[in-house]
């Protein structure tokens, strides 16, 4: 059973056998918690316009119709960038409960690079286990993945967090064919399939919470599992940590 809010267009409920998966509506997301390298090259100042672009989007149209055994839901948005960007979210919902998602971002002109492009799911923290077929077992990024082999991996959500001295973006998985975020090993939860691949991040905290705390012990107790399903996240760079940007071939330019 799925529910959409016709006022803001968001997917607000996913129930399976009466059990609710979502703590919050599914929202578009274009921001990652800044890394030490990001701070060094002034990424937050340069790209900060994307930080709340998804959460502060404005619905411009909402339509749905039946297509044989499927239901098609289309929501269009304006994003508060300067100039304005537009976003289309298209959901094709099958009678078996599957959801095929198409997301199209059309950035305004002359905007800075985009940290990531995807959707953020906030699940109950009973969904504490992740398994995935992609690169692993350790974190890996667009420009830092050749040391991660392609395989099938699994672990606790809390163990995907990497304890850098300052909380920041971590735990990403690239080249993911499919992933399951489940309650323990009983199999109930959310399955995500790439078309053919995607990037995935599952942690106990949102990017905003990671950014707001400068030491690990300050992170709040978490009652949730934060799953970011991305087309891509920009690379993390690291030629040096005091000014070198992520290489151009590992960025998401806003002119595309």
């Amino acid at each position: 059973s799925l529910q959409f809010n016709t006022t803001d267009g968001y997917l607000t409920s996913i129930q399976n056998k009466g059990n609710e998966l979502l703590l919050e509506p599914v929202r578009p997301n274009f921001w990652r918690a800044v890394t030490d390298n990001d701070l060094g090259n002034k990424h937050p100042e340069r790209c900060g316009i994307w930080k709340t672009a998804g959460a502060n989007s404005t619905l411009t149209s909402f339509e749905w119709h039946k297509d044989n055994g499927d239901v098609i839901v289309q929501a269009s948005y304006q994003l508060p960038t300067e100039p304005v960007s537009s976003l289309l979210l298209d959901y094709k919902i099958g009678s078996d409960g599957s959801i095929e998602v198409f997301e199209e971002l059309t950035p305004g002109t002359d905007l800075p690079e985009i940290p990531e492009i995807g959707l953020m799911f906030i699940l109950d923290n009973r969904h504490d286990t992740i398994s995935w077929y992609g690169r692993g077992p350790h974190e890996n990024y667009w420009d830092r993945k050749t040391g991660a082999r392609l395989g099938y991996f699994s672990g606790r959500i809390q163990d995907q967090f990497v304890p850098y001295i300052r909380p920041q973006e971590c735990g990403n998985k690239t080249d993911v064919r499919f992933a399951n975020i489940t309650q323990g090993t009983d199999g109930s939860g959310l399955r995500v399939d790439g078309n053919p691949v995607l990037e995935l991040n599952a942690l106990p905290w949102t990017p905003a919470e990671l950014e707001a705390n400068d030491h690990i012990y300050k992170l709040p107790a978490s009652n949730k599992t934060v799953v970011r399903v991305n087309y891509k996240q920009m690379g993390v760079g690291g030629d040096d940590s005091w000014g070198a940007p992520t290489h151009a071939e590992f960025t998401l330019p806003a002119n595309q």
Side-chain angles (χ1 to χ4, degrees):
S1 172
L2 287 84
Q3 290 184 1
F4 287 84
N5 185 327
T6 57
T7 302
D8 58 26
Y10 292 147
L11 174 59
T12 58
S13 174
I14 303 175
Q15 291 191 13
N16 182 26
K17 298 178 180 177
N19 296 315
E20 178 62 58
L21 273 70
L22 300 179
L23 287 182
E24 298 180 17
V26 179
R27 290 186 172 91
N29 183 63
F30 308 102
W31 190 254
R32 70 173 184 207
V34 295
T35 68
D36 290 335
N37 291 342
D38 290 337
L39 291 172
N41 65 46
K42 308 299 182 184
H43 168 89
E45 294 88 345
R46 187 174 63 255
C47 302
I49 199 166
W50 295 110
K51 187 171 185 176
T52 58
N56 293 335
S57 57
T58 300
L59 185 70
T60 56
S61 70
F62 182 86
E63 300 176 352
W64 70 274
H65 65 273
K66 293 182 178 180
D67 182 13
N68 295 321
D70 302 326
V71 173
I72 310 299
V73 177
Q74 292 181 321
S76 298
Y77 298 89
Q78 283 191 340
L79 306 184
T81 55
E82 296 180 10
V84 169
S85 301
S86 61
L87 178 74
L88 169 67
L89 286 173
D90 187 306
Y91 302 87
K92 181 179 180 181
I93 303 162
S95 58
D96 60 354
S98 63
I99 313 169
E100 183 177 330
V101 183
F102 175 79
E103 180 176 10
E104 183 177 57
L105 172 67
T106 306
T109 56
D110 298 324
L111 292 176
E113 68 267 27
I114 308 163
E116 67 181 39
I117 299 173
L119 294 174
M120 184 158 61
F121 296 74
I122 309 292
L123 310 181
D124 188 289
N125 66 355
R126 290 175 299 176
H127 299 87
D128 60 359
T129 301
I130 182 173
S131 59
W132 74 99
Y133 177 34
R135 289 190 182 267
H138 50 76
E139 64 173 3
N140 51 95
Y141 289 82
W142 193 2
D143 59 352
R144 194 169 291 182
K145 67 179 184 179
T146 55
R149 63 184 175 89
L150 183 65
Y152 181 75
F153 307 98
S154 64
R156 300 287 300 278
I157 296 292
Q158 64 188 33
D159 294 333
Q160 309 313 304
F161 177 72
V162 181
Y164 295 111
I165 292 175
R166 185 182 61 79
Q168 56 194 279
E169 164 60 34
C170 62
N172 197 61
K173 295 100 173 63
T174 63
D175 295 335
V176 174
R177 275 67 169 171
F178 66 84
N180 297 297
I181 296 90
T182 58
Q183 299 185 46
T185 58
D186 72 0
S188 63
L190 185 71
R191 176 183 170 97
V192 180
D193 289 274
N195 186 21
V197 297
L198 46 77
E199 292 196 23
L200 188 74
N201 187 298
L203 294 171
W205 299 283
T206 64
E209 288 173 324
L210 293 174
E211 282 190 348
N213 295 277
D214 58 2
H215 288 83
I216 293 171
Y217 74 88
K218 294 182 179 180
L219 287 168
S222 175
N223 68 338
K224 58 187 177 294
T225 291
V226 180
V227 182
R228 288 152 46 216
V229 182
N230 287 325
Y231 158 64
K232 269 186 169 53
Q233 180 185 154
M234 66 178 287
V236 291
D239 291 3
D240 62 51
S241 292
W242 53 88
T246 300
H247 289 202
E249 63 267 32
F250 302 115
T251 62
L252 294 162
N255 62 355
Q256 297 178 13

